[in-house]
Amino acid sequence: MPIRDFQDDPLPNSGASKLLELAIRRARFNLRVALTAALVSMWILVLAGGSAEARRFSEILAAIWTVVGAGLWVFNPFLRSLRQIAEQVQLERNVYARLAEVPTRTGNAVVVTDAEGHIQWVNEAFVRTTGYERVEVRGRKPGEVLQGADTDPNEKGRISEALKSGTSITAELYNYTKAGRGYRARVEIDPLFDPDGKLTGFMAIQADVTAQRESERMLKQQTERLESAITAANLGCSEWDAADDTIVFDARARAMLGLSDDLAVMPFKDTHALLTPEDMQEWRQRLDRIFAGEVAHDRQILRVRHADGSDHWLNVTRFVTAHDASGKATHMVTTYADITEITEARQRAEAATRAKSEFLANMSHEIRTPMNAVVGMTGLLLDSNLSDEQRHYATIVGRSAETLLNLINDILDFSKIEAGKLELESVEFDLRQVVEDVGEILALRACEKNLELLCLIDPAVPVRLRGDPGRLRQVLLNLGSNAVKFTEQGSVTIQASLAEPGPDAGFVAVRFTIIDSGIGIAPEHRTRLFTAFTQADSSTTRRYGGTGLGLSISRQLVGLMGGTIDVESTVGQGSRFWFTVTLGRLAEAAEWTVAPSILGSRILVVDAQESSRRLMDNLSTQWGLHAEFANDGHTALALLDAGVDEPYDAIIVDRQLPDMNAGDFAEAVRSNPAFADIPLILWCALRYEGDPVPRGPLFAGALTKPVRAMRLLKTLERAFAKTPVAEQSDLPLMPSRGSAIATALLVEDNRVNQLLACKLLERLGCRTIVANNGCEALDVLKTMACDIVFMDCQMPVMDGFEATQRIRDRSTGVLDPTIPIVAMTANAMQGDRDACLAAGMNDYVQKPVDMRELTRALHASLARAGSVSAVG
C-alpha cells in the first residue's frame, strides 16, 4: 500500500485491537453477573414478605442498586481498557508517523511498487534526483523510466530474477534523469509482505554513487600512473612500522640493495649492515630526527654495499605517513633511486674537469713564462734609444704579445666560469678610479684612431662601493675595447649612472653604458652576441680578429654581480652596450675637497669636442665652478674681449683647435696685458710618440685625455696658487741612478726571466741576488740579510710553496723568518693567489709582470716591513 496512506489506515492486527476485544468480553461477563444478582435480590424481597409498599420500595432500591452496581462493574474495566487502548493507539500512530517520514526526508531516492513492479509511491529525493514528478512515474515500472542504452544488461537480468522470486537484491545501474543526464546508482530492492505472508510489493532505495565511482576511477588512474612512474623511474620502495620495528622492501628495492627474497622483511636495526661506514653517522642522525618527529620528510644520497661486493649510490627519500599522539613517527615510506651510473659519470666529469683545469694551469704557466720575457723585454727595449724603424718593430711585438696575453686570459676566464670555479671578491673600492683606469688603458688605442674617448660618472652615483673592482674593470675593458675596435671615427663614451636604489639601503644598482659611433650590429646578429666563440659574422672575425669570448665572459660576470647586460644598435650609426651590477654601498663621504680659492671661479673651456665640454660641465657643477665654452680659438678670444671687465679665472684649452693650435692661442692671450695673468691649462689627446705636453711659460699645467677628475682638480688648484704643475704619474718616483732602496732576493729558475726581473728591479732601485730554486734561496737567507724575496712558485728541487714554508719556520736558521715574500708566478688560475697567501707569502704578482703592479708590491711590502724610509 502507498506509504503516503500509512497514517490514515486502520491498524490491522495491532495490540490496541486485542485490548478492545478483551474489554468487550469482560463487559459481557460482568453484565450477566449483574443481571443475575438483580433477579436474586428481587426474589429475596418477595419471599421476605411485608407491605406491598415496602416490598415495592425495596424492589425499586434493589433494582437501582443492582443496575448501578452492574454498571459500575461492567463499565469501570471497560473505561480503563478504552483508556489503555487510546494510549496504545496514539503511541503506535506516533511511531508509524515517524517511520513514514524516513523515506520522505532521506537523501536517497525511495520507490515503492506493487507486486507487479508498478510504481505506487516515490519520495522527494527521487523527484530531485531524476527530475520526474510523482504523477509522471506512478503506475510505470522503474526500468521504463530510468534505464537506457548504457545500463548494464547483466544487472538488469539479475534484478528481474530477484523480482520474480521475491527476494532482496543489491545492484549497480547506469540510470538516466528526465533531462537525459546519466548517473551511476546503487540500488537495494526488498520485497514487502502482508501479515499473511503474501507479496504485496517492493521497496527500492537508490543512492547516487557517480561522484564516488569517479573518485575511485581517478584514484585508480593516479595509482596506476604512480605505479607506472615508479616502474619507469625504477624506484624501489620500503615501509617501516614502529609497531614491530620492521622494514619491508619491495622487489625493486631488494634488487638495488642486493637482498634475497627471504630478506624482504627484516628488523630495522639490521639495515645498518647495508651501509658503508662513511655514511653511518649521518644516516643515524637523519633517522633520529625523523623518528623524533622533527622532520616529516628527508632526502639523502647513500652509498650502500651491494651483495656482489660493489658500491651502489642511491638517492633515498623518506616520508613519514603516521605519527603517535606525542608526534613521534610510527610509519615511514622510503623510496630508492639507483644513481650509481649518474654518480660515476659525474665523478668522471669532475675528474675530467680537474684534469682540464690542471692542463690549463700548466699551459698557462708554460705560456706565461716566455710571454713574461717577451712583454718585459719589449718594454725594456722601448725604453732604450731606438731608431723610428726599430721602435715601430718593437711596438708591433709588444702589442702582439699583449693580444696573445689577452687571448690566454679570456680562455682561462671562460674555463673558470664553465667549471663554476670563478668567485668574486668583495672589497672596498673607488668607482671613479675604476672607470678612469679603463679610460686610460683605452686611451692610446683611441688616440691612434683619432677617436674622442670620454668617461662620465653621474653625480648621483656613490663612488665608495663594495664589490669586485677587478671583474668590473674587466667587463668595462671588454666592452670599451670592442667599442674602440669597431669604431673608425667619432667617439667612445663610458657612462656610469644610478639604475635603482638596490634591494635594500646597503646596496645600489649602477648602470654602465658604453656608447660608440662605430659600424653597428644587425638585428639578426644580436641574439648570438653573448654566446661563446661567436661574433656578429665571419667577416667581423676576419677583419677585426678576436675569440668571441669577451662578451660571453662579460655576460657571465655581470650575472655573478647580480645584473643584466644588453645592447641597442643601428647598423652604420653605432652601438650602445649597457649593463647593471649590484654593489654594496658604504658610508657616504665627500668625494671632493675643493680649495676655497677656486670656489665660484669662472672657467673658460676651449675645445671643439662635445664630449670634452660635457665632462667639464659635469665636473664644474660638482666643484662649484662656473664654466663657459668655446668651440675654437677665435670664439674664445672674442669671449675674453667681451668679458674684460669680469675676466675669467682660468682657461682650459685643447692642444689642437679647428682654427689654431694651443700655442698660438696662448700667445694671443698673453699678448693682451688684461689677460696676461690668467692661468692656462693645456689638455690634449694621448699619443704614443713621445711626450705630448709642450714645455714653457705659456701654460700653468698640462693634462692628457681622458682626464682624471682628481688630477684636473689638483691642477686647477695649483694653477690658482701660481704653483708650477709637473705632469702627474701613477707610479712612485724612481730612485736616482746608483742608489739602492732595498736588497731583493729573486728566486727564479728561468734564465730569461732572471735577466728580465733583475732589470725591472734595478729600475726600481733594488740590488738583486738570484737563486735558482728554493734550496738555494734558503742558503742565501741563512747567510745574507735581504729586504724582500720575489718567489717563483714552480721550480725544480724545491718549489716556491715549500721554500716559503721553510723560510717561515724559525728552526731552519734563516736570518729573518718574517721577511716579505712576493709571489712572482705564471700561475694564473682561480685560487693560485689564495694558495700563495696560504703558504705564507705576503703578496702576489702575476706574469707577465706589469711594471705598475711590481712597483706597488715592492713599495707595499717594504712599507709593511718597516722599510718606508728606504723607499723614499
Side-chain angles (χ1 to χ4, degrees), residues 603-607 616 623 625 628-630 636 650-655 657 665 678-683 699 703 705 707 712 716:
I603 307 294
L604 176 62
V605 180
V606 188
D607 198 313
M616 195 59 215
W623 295 339
L625 309 178
E628 297 182 25
F629 302 94
I651 301 172
I652 299 175
V653 59
D654 187 29
R655 180 173 186 175
L657 301 174
F665 175 80
I678 299 178
L680 277 77
I681 298 173
L682 177 73
W683 65 13
F699 295 96
L703 298 167
K705 297 181 181 179
V707 177
L712 173 60
L716 283 172

PDB file of all heavy atoms in Angstrom, residues 603-607 616 623 625 628-630 636 650-655 657 665 678-683 699 703 705 707 712 716:
ATOM      1  N   ILE A 603      85.541  79.626 -15.393  1.00  0.00           N
ATOM      2  CA  ILE A 603      86.492  78.876 -16.211  1.00  0.00           C
ATOM      3  C   ILE A 603      86.032  78.946 -17.658  1.00  0.00           C
ATOM      4  O   ILE A 603      84.853  78.725 -17.968  1.00  0.00           O
ATOM      5  CB  ILE A 603      86.574  77.399 -15.772  1.00  0.00           C
ATOM      6  CG1 ILE A 603      86.863  77.296 -14.272  1.00  0.00           C
ATOM      7  CG2 ILE A 603      87.627  76.653 -16.572  1.00  0.00           C
ATOM      8  CD1 ILE A 603      88.206  77.796 -13.861  1.00  0.00           C
ATOM      9  N   LEU A 604      86.962  79.214 -18.546  1.00  0.00           N
ATOM     10  CA  LEU A 604      86.678  79.171 -19.977  1.00  0.00           C
ATOM     11  C   LEU A 604      87.302  77.908 -20.548  1.00  0.00           C
ATOM     12  O   LEU A 604      88.510  77.688 -20.413  1.00  0.00           O
ATOM     13  CB  LEU A 604      87.250  80.402 -20.687  1.00  0.00           C
ATOM     14  CG  LEU A 604      87.089  80.422 -22.214  1.00  0.00           C
ATOM     15  CD1 LEU A 604      85.617  80.414 -22.609  1.00  0.00           C
ATOM     16  CD2 LEU A 604      87.803  81.639 -22.819  1.00  0.00           C
ATOM     17  N   VAL A 605      86.474  77.054 -21.168  1.00  0.00           N
ATOM     18  CA  VAL A 605      86.938  75.791 -21.746  1.00  0.00           C
ATOM     19  C   VAL A 605      86.882  75.935 -23.260  1.00  0.00           C
ATOM     20  O   VAL A 605      85.811  76.183 -23.838  1.00  0.00           O
ATOM     21  CB  VAL A 605      86.063  74.614 -21.293  1.00  0.00           C
ATOM     22  CG1 VAL A 605      86.572  73.310 -21.912  1.00  0.00           C
ATOM     23  CG2 VAL A 605      86.055  74.509 -19.776  1.00  0.00           C
ATOM     24  N   VAL A 606      88.052  75.782 -23.891  1.00  0.00           N
ATOM     25  CA  VAL A 606      88.149  75.955 -25.347  1.00  0.00           C
ATOM     26  C   VAL A 606      88.447  74.590 -25.947  1.00  0.00           C
ATOM     27  O   VAL A 606      89.575  74.079 -25.847  1.00  0.00           O
ATOM     28  CB  VAL A 606      89.262  76.968 -25.710  1.00  0.00           C
ATOM     29  CG1 VAL A 606      89.201  77.280 -27.207  1.00  0.00           C
ATOM     30  CG2 VAL A 606      89.149  78.227 -24.883  1.00  0.00           C
ATOM     31  N   ASP A 607      87.438  73.975 -26.547  1.00  0.00           N
ATOM     32  CA  ASP A 607      87.595  72.618 -27.074  1.00  0.00           C
ATOM     33  C   ASP A 607      86.496  72.376 -28.093  1.00  0.00           C
ATOM     34  O   ASP A 607      85.324  72.694 -27.852  1.00  0.00           O
ATOM     35  CB  ASP A 607      87.501  71.578 -25.948  1.00  0.00           C
ATOM     36  CG  ASP A 607      88.084  70.236 -26.345  1.00  0.00           C
ATOM     37  OD1 ASP A 607      87.770  69.752 -27.452  1.00  0.00           O
ATOM     38  OD2 ASP A 607      88.831  69.660 -25.529  1.00  0.00           O
ATOM     39  N   MET A 616      83.606  68.621 -18.693  1.00  0.00           N
ATOM     40  CA  MET A 616      83.939  69.784 -17.892  1.00  0.00           C
ATOM     41  C   MET A 616      82.696  70.416 -17.293  1.00  0.00           C
ATOM     42  O   MET A 616      82.715  70.906 -16.151  1.00  0.00           O
ATOM     43  CB  MET A 616      84.692  70.797 -18.768  1.00  0.00           C
ATOM     44  CG  MET A 616      85.379  71.869 -17.956  1.00  0.00           C
ATOM     45  SD  MET A 616      86.577  71.163 -16.780  1.00  0.00           S
ATOM     46  CE  MET A 616      86.397  72.310 -15.421  1.00  0.00           C
ATOM     47  N   TRP A 623      82.056  70.910  -8.569  1.00  0.00           N
ATOM     48  CA  TRP A 623      83.100  71.639  -7.831  1.00  0.00           C
ATOM     49  C   TRP A 623      82.692  73.066  -7.478  1.00  0.00           C
ATOM     50  O   TRP A 623      83.471  73.796  -6.858  1.00  0.00           O
ATOM     51  CB  TRP A 623      84.394  71.676  -8.653  1.00  0.00           C
ATOM     52  CG  TRP A 623      84.984  70.307  -8.862  1.00  0.00           C
ATOM     53  CD1 TRP A 623      84.753  69.198  -8.130  1.00  0.00           C
ATOM     54  CD2 TRP A 623      85.908  69.941  -9.885  1.00  0.00           C
ATOM     55  NE1 TRP A 623      85.474  68.139  -8.619  1.00  0.00           N
ATOM     56  CE2 TRP A 623      86.200  68.554  -9.710  1.00  0.00           C
ATOM     57  CE3 TRP A 623      86.535  70.607 -10.931  1.00  0.00           C
ATOM     58  CZ2 TRP A 623      87.070  67.863 -10.534  1.00  0.00           C
ATOM     59  CZ3 TRP A 623      87.412  69.927 -11.758  1.00  0.00           C
ATOM     60  CH2 TRP A 623      87.676  68.548 -11.567  1.00  0.00           C
ATOM     61  N   LEU A 625      82.091  75.507  -9.712  1.00  0.00           N
ATOM     62  CA  LEU A 625      82.676  76.453 -10.670  1.00  0.00           C
ATOM     63  C   LEU A 625      81.631  76.875 -11.693  1.00  0.00           C
ATOM     64  O   LEU A 625      80.605  76.211 -11.873  1.00  0.00           O
ATOM     65  CB  LEU A 625      83.868  75.816 -11.383  1.00  0.00           C
ATOM     66  CG  LEU A 625      84.949  75.164 -10.510  1.00  0.00           C
ATOM     67  CD1 LEU A 625      86.021  74.538 -11.383  1.00  0.00           C
ATOM     68  CD2 LEU A 625      85.563  76.190  -9.569  1.00  0.00           C
ATOM     69  N   GLU A 628      82.213  78.241 -18.963  1.00  0.00           N
ATOM     70  CA  GLU A 628      81.697  78.672 -20.265  1.00  0.00           C
ATOM     71  C   GLU A 628      82.549  78.004 -21.333  1.00  0.00           C
ATOM     72  O   GLU A 628      83.708  77.641 -21.095  1.00  0.00           O
ATOM     73  CB  GLU A 628      81.734  80.200 -20.387  1.00  0.00           C
ATOM     74  CG  GLU A 628      80.827  80.895 -19.364  1.00  0.00           C
ATOM     75  CD  GLU A 628      80.847  82.406 -19.546  1.00  0.00           C
ATOM     76  OE1 GLU A 628      81.142  82.864 -20.669  1.00  0.00           O
ATOM     77  OE2 GLU A 628      80.570  83.122 -18.570  1.00  0.00           O
ATOM     78  N   PHE A 629      81.980  77.871 -22.533  1.00  0.00           N
ATOM     79  CA  PHE A 629      82.625  77.033 -23.534  1.00  0.00           C
ATOM     80  C   PHE A 629      82.745  77.761 -24.869  1.00  0.00           C
ATOM     81  O   PHE A 629      81.872  78.565 -25.252  1.00  0.00           O
ATOM     82  CB  PHE A 629      81.822  75.747 -23.723  1.00  0.00           C
ATOM     83  CG  PHE A 629      81.658  74.951 -22.452  1.00  0.00           C
ATOM     84  CD1 PHE A 629      80.534  75.118 -21.656  1.00  0.00           C
ATOM     85  CD2 PHE A 629      82.643  74.076 -22.030  1.00  0.00           C
ATOM     86  CE1 PHE A 629      80.382  74.414 -20.475  1.00  0.00           C
ATOM     87  CE2 PHE A 629      82.503  73.370 -20.858  1.00  0.00           C
ATOM     88  CZ  PHE A 629      81.374  73.537 -20.073  1.00  0.00           C
ATOM     89  N   ALA A 630      83.833  77.418 -25.565  1.00  0.00           N
ATOM     90  CA  ALA A 630      84.061  77.937 -26.917  1.00  0.00           C
ATOM     91  C   ALA A 630      84.568  76.795 -27.777  1.00  0.00           C
ATOM     92  O   ALA A 630      85.374  75.977 -27.327  1.00  0.00           O
ATOM     93  CB  ALA A 630      85.076  79.073 -26.895  1.00  0.00           C
ATOM     94  N   ALA A 636      86.858  81.938 -28.511  1.00  0.00           N
ATOM     95  CA  ALA A 636      87.349  82.098 -27.146  1.00  0.00           C
ATOM     96  C   ALA A 636      87.948  83.484 -26.938  1.00  0.00           C
ATOM     97  O   ALA A 636      87.712  84.135 -25.911  1.00  0.00           O
ATOM     98  CB  ALA A 636      88.384  81.017 -26.840  1.00  0.00           C
ATOM     99  N   ALA A 650      90.528  81.153 -15.089  1.00  0.00           N
ATOM    100  CA  ALA A 650      91.409  80.153 -15.687  1.00  0.00           C
ATOM    101  C   ALA A 650      90.857  79.775 -17.049  1.00  0.00           C
ATOM    102  O   ALA A 650      89.656  79.922 -17.328  1.00  0.00           O
ATOM    103  CB  ALA A 650      91.521  78.911 -14.805  1.00  0.00           C
ATOM    104  N   ILE A 651      91.753  79.317 -17.909  1.00  0.00           N
ATOM    105  CA  ILE A 651      91.366  78.883 -19.251  1.00  0.00           C
ATOM    106  C   ILE A 651      91.932  77.483 -19.467  1.00  0.00           C
ATOM    107  O   ILE A 651      93.129  77.240 -19.239  1.00  0.00           O
ATOM    108  CB  ILE A 651      91.903  79.843 -20.336  1.00  0.00           C
ATOM    109  CG1 ILE A 651      91.380  81.264 -20.105  1.00  0.00           C
ATOM    110  CG2 ILE A 651      91.528  79.335 -21.727  1.00  0.00           C
ATOM    111  CD1 ILE A 651      92.020  82.292 -21.033  1.00  0.00           C
ATOM    112  N   ILE A 652      91.059  76.565 -19.910  1.00  0.00           N
ATOM    113  CA  ILE A 652      91.483  75.212 -20.281  1.00  0.00           C
ATOM    114  C   ILE A 652      91.343  75.120 -21.781  1.00  0.00           C
ATOM    115  O   ILE A 652      90.249  75.345 -22.344  1.00  0.00           O
ATOM    116  CB  ILE A 652      90.617  74.148 -19.590  1.00  0.00           C
ATOM    117  CG1 ILE A 652      90.735  74.262 -18.068  1.00  0.00           C
ATOM    118  CG2 ILE A 652      91.016  72.750 -20.044  1.00  0.00           C
ATOM    119  CD1 ILE A 652      89.813  73.316 -17.308  1.00  0.00           C
ATOM    120  N   VAL A 653      92.416  74.750 -22.465  1.00  0.00           N
ATOM    121  CA  VAL A 653      92.407  74.772 -23.922  1.00  0.00           C
ATOM    122  C   VAL A 653      92.923  73.445 -24.476  1.00  0.00           C
ATOM    123  O   VAL A 653      93.883  72.873 -23.950  1.00  0.00           O
ATOM    124  CB  VAL A 653      93.255  75.949 -24.450  1.00  0.00           C
ATOM    125  CG1 VAL A 653      94.696  75.854 -23.972  1.00  0.00           C
ATOM    126  CG2 VAL A 653      93.187  76.039 -25.972  1.00  0.00           C
ATOM    127  N   ASP A 654      92.249  72.965 -25.517  1.00  0.00           N
ATOM    128  CA  ASP A 654      92.687  71.744 -26.203  1.00  0.00           C
ATOM    129  C   ASP A 654      93.908  72.070 -27.050  1.00  0.00           C
ATOM    130  O   ASP A 654      94.061  73.199 -27.559  1.00  0.00           O
ATOM    131  CB  ASP A 654      91.541  71.213 -27.063  1.00  0.00           C
ATOM    132  CG  ASP A 654      91.885  69.859 -27.659  1.00  0.00           C
ATOM    133  OD1 ASP A 654      92.668  69.123 -27.031  1.00  0.00           O
ATOM    134  OD2 ASP A 654      91.389  69.545 -28.749  1.00  0.00           O
ATOM    135  N   ARG A 655      94.771  71.083 -27.229  1.00  0.00           N
ATOM    136  CA  ARG A 655      96.026  71.336 -27.962  1.00  0.00           C
ATOM    137  C   ARG A 655      95.766  71.678 -29.421  1.00  0.00           C
ATOM    138  O   ARG A 655      96.410  72.565 -29.976  1.00  0.00           O
ATOM    139  CB  ARG A 655      96.932  70.108 -27.861  1.00  0.00           C
ATOM    140  CG  ARG A 655      98.256  70.311 -28.603  1.00  0.00           C
ATOM    141  CD  ARG A 655      99.196  69.174 -28.348  1.00  0.00           C
ATOM    142  NE  ARG A 655     100.487  69.447 -28.950  1.00  0.00           N
ATOM    143  CZ  ARG A 655     101.543  68.679 -28.824  1.00  0.00           C
ATOM    144  NH1 ARG A 655     101.470  67.582 -28.093  1.00  0.00           N
ATOM    145  NH2 ARG A 655     102.695  68.994 -29.397  1.00  0.00           N
ATOM    146  N   LEU A 657      93.013  73.040 -31.919  1.00  0.00           N
ATOM    147  CA  LEU A 657      91.722  73.641 -32.196  1.00  0.00           C
ATOM    148  C   LEU A 657      91.474  73.675 -33.699  1.00  0.00           C
ATOM    149  O   LEU A 657      92.418  73.565 -34.497  1.00  0.00           O
ATOM    150  CB  LEU A 657      91.665  75.053 -31.611  1.00  0.00           C
ATOM    151  CG  LEU A 657      91.892  75.147 -30.099  1.00  0.00           C
ATOM    152  CD1 LEU A 657      91.968  76.605 -29.658  1.00  0.00           C
ATOM    153  CD2 LEU A 657      90.786  74.419 -29.347  1.00  0.00           C
ATOM    154  N   PHE A 665      97.154  80.114 -29.611  1.00  0.00           N
ATOM    155  CA  PHE A 665      96.093  80.678 -28.777  1.00  0.00           C
ATOM    156  C   PHE A 665      96.681  81.265 -27.496  1.00  0.00           C
ATOM    157  O   PHE A 665      96.306  82.376 -27.074  1.00  0.00           O
ATOM    158  CB  PHE A 665      95.060  79.593 -28.439  1.00  0.00           C
ATOM    159  CG  PHE A 665      93.990  80.051 -27.490  1.00  0.00           C
ATOM    160  CD1 PHE A 665      92.907  80.796 -27.959  1.00  0.00           C
ATOM    161  CD2 PHE A 665      94.072  79.778 -26.131  1.00  0.00           C
ATOM    162  CE1 PHE A 665      91.926  81.232 -27.076  1.00  0.00           C
ATOM    163  CE2 PHE A 665      93.098  80.202 -25.245  1.00  0.00           C
ATOM    164  CZ  PHE A 665      92.018  80.935 -25.724  1.00  0.00           C
ATOM    165  N   ILE A 678      96.037  85.357 -16.440  1.00  0.00           N
ATOM    166  CA  ILE A 678      95.079  84.241 -16.376  1.00  0.00           C
ATOM    167  C   ILE A 678      95.835  82.929 -16.611  1.00  0.00           C
ATOM    168  O   ILE A 678      96.492  82.766 -17.652  1.00  0.00           O
ATOM    169  CB  ILE A 678      93.969  84.393 -17.426  1.00  0.00           C
ATOM    170  CG1 ILE A 678      93.183  85.683 -17.190  1.00  0.00           C
ATOM    171  CG2 ILE A 678      93.026  83.175 -17.387  1.00  0.00           C
ATOM    172  CD1 ILE A 678      92.105  85.922 -18.226  1.00  0.00           C
ATOM    173  N   PRO A 679      95.761  81.987 -15.662  1.00  0.00           N
ATOM    174  CA  PRO A 679      96.470  80.715 -15.879  1.00  0.00           C
ATOM    175  C   PRO A 679      95.820  79.901 -17.002  1.00  0.00           C
ATOM    176  O   PRO A 679      94.585  79.795 -17.077  1.00  0.00           O
ATOM    177  CB  PRO A 679      96.350  80.002 -14.537  1.00  0.00           C
ATOM    178  CG  PRO A 679      95.175  80.628 -13.869  1.00  0.00           C
ATOM    179  CD  PRO A 679      95.098  82.046 -14.352  1.00  0.00           C
ATOM    180  N   LEU A 680      96.673  79.353 -17.878  1.00  0.00           N
ATOM    181  CA  LEU A 680      96.204  78.489 -18.961  1.00  0.00           C
ATOM    182  C   LEU A 680      96.608  77.046 -18.656  1.00  0.00           C
ATOM    183  O   LEU A 680      97.755  76.794 -18.265  1.00  0.00           O
ATOM    184  CB  LEU A 680      96.804  78.905 -20.309  1.00  0.00           C
ATOM    185  CG  LEU A 680      96.095  80.041 -21.042  1.00  0.00           C
ATOM    186  CD1 LEU A 680      96.427  81.385 -20.426  1.00  0.00           C
ATOM    187  CD2 LEU A 680      96.467  80.023 -22.523  1.00  0.00           C
ATOM    188  N   ILE A 681      95.661  76.134 -18.864  1.00  0.00           N
ATOM    189  CA  ILE A 681      95.916  74.703 -18.668  1.00  0.00           C
ATOM    190  C   ILE A 681      95.668  74.005 -19.986  1.00  0.00           C
ATOM    191  O   ILE A 681      94.609  74.170 -20.613  1.00  0.00           O
ATOM    192  CB  ILE A 681      95.006  74.116 -17.570  1.00  0.00           C
ATOM    193  CG1 ILE A 681      95.306  74.807 -16.225  1.00  0.00           C
ATOM    194  CG2 ILE A 681      95.203  72.609 -17.444  1.00  0.00           C
ATOM    195  CD1 ILE A 681      94.360  74.418 -15.122  1.00  0.00           C
ATOM    196  N   LEU A 682      96.636  73.245 -20.397  1.00  0.00           N
ATOM    197  CA  LEU A 682      96.557  72.532 -21.672  1.00  0.00           C
ATOM    198  C   LEU A 682      96.093  71.097 -21.425  1.00  0.00           C
ATOM    199  O   LEU A 682      96.576  70.430 -20.525  1.00  0.00           O
ATOM    200  CB  LEU A 682      97.930  72.522 -22.348  1.00  0.00           C
ATOM    201  CG  LEU A 682      98.025  71.752 -23.671  1.00  0.00           C
ATOM    202  CD1 LEU A 682      97.322  72.510 -24.786  1.00  0.00           C
ATOM    203  CD2 LEU A 682      99.502  71.524 -24.037  1.00  0.00           C
ATOM    204  N   TRP A 683      95.096  70.651 -22.245  1.00  0.00           N
ATOM    205  CA  TRP A 683      94.837  69.212 -22.256  1.00  0.00           C
ATOM    206  C   TRP A 683      94.839  68.740 -23.701  1.00  0.00           C
ATOM    207  O   TRP A 683      94.488  69.471 -24.634  1.00  0.00           O
ATOM    208  CB  TRP A 683      93.596  68.817 -21.487  1.00  0.00           C
ATOM    209  CG  TRP A 683      92.252  69.299 -21.992  1.00  0.00           C
ATOM    210  CD1 TRP A 683      91.939  69.857 -23.177  1.00  0.00           C
ATOM    211  CD2 TRP A 683      91.031  69.222 -21.256  1.00  0.00           C
ATOM    212  NE1 TRP A 683      90.624  70.132 -23.264  1.00  0.00           N
ATOM    213  CE2 TRP A 683      90.024  69.751 -22.094  1.00  0.00           C
ATOM    214  CE3 TRP A 683      90.673  68.746 -20.009  1.00  0.00           C
ATOM    215  CZ2 TRP A 683      88.697  69.840 -21.704  1.00  0.00           C
ATOM    216  CZ3 TRP A 683      89.360  68.820 -19.626  1.00  0.00           C
ATOM    217  CH2 TRP A 683      88.374  69.367 -20.459  1.00  0.00           C
ATOM    218  N   PHE A 699     101.961  77.835 -20.255  1.00  0.00           N
ATOM    219  CA  PHE A 699     100.922  77.035 -19.597  1.00  0.00           C
ATOM    220  C   PHE A 699     101.285  76.771 -18.138  1.00  0.00           C
ATOM    221  O   PHE A 699     102.438  76.460 -17.812  1.00  0.00           O
ATOM    222  CB  PHE A 699     100.733  75.701 -20.318  1.00  0.00           C
ATOM    223  CG  PHE A 699     100.215  75.875 -21.721  1.00  0.00           C
ATOM    224  CD1 PHE A 699     101.088  75.898 -22.796  1.00  0.00           C
ATOM    225  CD2 PHE A 699      98.860  76.026 -21.960  1.00  0.00           C
ATOM    226  CE1 PHE A 699     100.619  76.063 -24.080  1.00  0.00           C
ATOM    227  CE2 PHE A 699      98.385  76.202 -23.250  1.00  0.00           C
ATOM    228  CZ  PHE A 699      99.260  76.219 -24.313  1.00  0.00           C
ATOM    229  N   LEU A 703      97.578  68.349 -19.090  1.00  0.00           N
ATOM    230  CA  LEU A 703      96.942  67.062 -18.792  1.00  0.00           C
ATOM    231  C   LEU A 703      96.658  66.327 -20.088  1.00  0.00           C
ATOM    232  O   LEU A 703      96.498  66.948 -21.151  1.00  0.00           O
ATOM    233  CB  LEU A 703      95.625  67.280 -18.036  1.00  0.00           C
ATOM    234  CG  LEU A 703      95.726  67.953 -16.662  1.00  0.00           C
ATOM    235  CD1 LEU A 703      94.341  68.372 -16.192  1.00  0.00           C
ATOM    236  CD2 LEU A 703      96.372  67.013 -15.662  1.00  0.00           C
ATOM    237  N   LYS A 705      94.219  63.456 -22.162  1.00  0.00           N
ATOM    238  CA  LYS A 705      92.878  62.881 -22.189  1.00  0.00           C
ATOM    239  C   LYS A 705      92.974  61.357 -22.270  1.00  0.00           C
ATOM    240  O   LYS A 705      93.885  60.840 -22.923  1.00  0.00           O
ATOM    241  CB  LYS A 705      92.094  63.407 -23.393  1.00  0.00           C
ATOM    242  CG  LYS A 705      91.853  64.900 -23.387  1.00  0.00           C
ATOM    243  CD  LYS A 705      91.048  65.288 -24.627  1.00  0.00           C
ATOM    244  CE  LYS A 705      90.796  66.778 -24.683  1.00  0.00           C
ATOM    245  NZ  LYS A 705      90.039  67.148 -25.900  1.00  0.00           N
ATOM    246  N   VAL A 707      90.897  62.764 -19.117  1.00  0.00           N
ATOM    247  CA  VAL A 707      91.414  63.434 -17.938  1.00  0.00           C
ATOM    248  C   VAL A 707      90.863  62.773 -16.677  1.00  0.00           C
ATOM    249  O   VAL A 707      89.659  62.518 -16.570  1.00  0.00           O
ATOM    250  CB  VAL A 707      91.014  64.919 -17.970  1.00  0.00           C
ATOM    251  CG1 VAL A 707      91.497  65.618 -16.701  1.00  0.00           C
ATOM    252  CG2 VAL A 707      91.584  65.593 -19.197  1.00  0.00           C
ATOM    253  N   LEU A 712      92.737  66.791 -12.579  1.00  0.00           N
ATOM    254  CA  LEU A 712      92.317  68.089 -13.112  1.00  0.00           C
ATOM    255  C   LEU A 712      92.056  69.071 -11.977  1.00  0.00           C
ATOM    256  O   LEU A 712      92.455  70.246 -12.035  1.00  0.00           O
ATOM    257  CB  LEU A 712      91.056  67.911 -13.958  1.00  0.00           C
ATOM    258  CG  LEU A 712      90.388  69.194 -14.452  1.00  0.00           C
ATOM    259  CD1 LEU A 712      91.349  70.013 -15.320  1.00  0.00           C
ATOM    260  CD2 LEU A 712      89.117  68.867 -15.234  1.00  0.00           C
ATOM    261  N   LEU A 716      94.055  72.593 -11.302  1.00  0.00           N
ATOM    262  CA  LEU A 716      93.402  73.898 -11.179  1.00  0.00           C
ATOM    263  C   LEU A 716      93.811  74.591  -9.889  1.00  0.00           C
ATOM    264  O   LEU A 716      94.096  75.804  -9.863  1.00  0.00           O
ATOM    265  CB  LEU A 716      91.886  73.717 -11.215  1.00  0.00           C
ATOM    266  CG  LEU A 716      91.251  73.475 -12.593  1.00  0.00           C
ATOM    267  CD1 LEU A 716      89.779  73.118 -12.437  1.00  0.00           C
ATOM    268  CD2 LEU A 716      91.406  74.709 -13.482  1.00  0.00           C
TER     269      LEU A 716
END
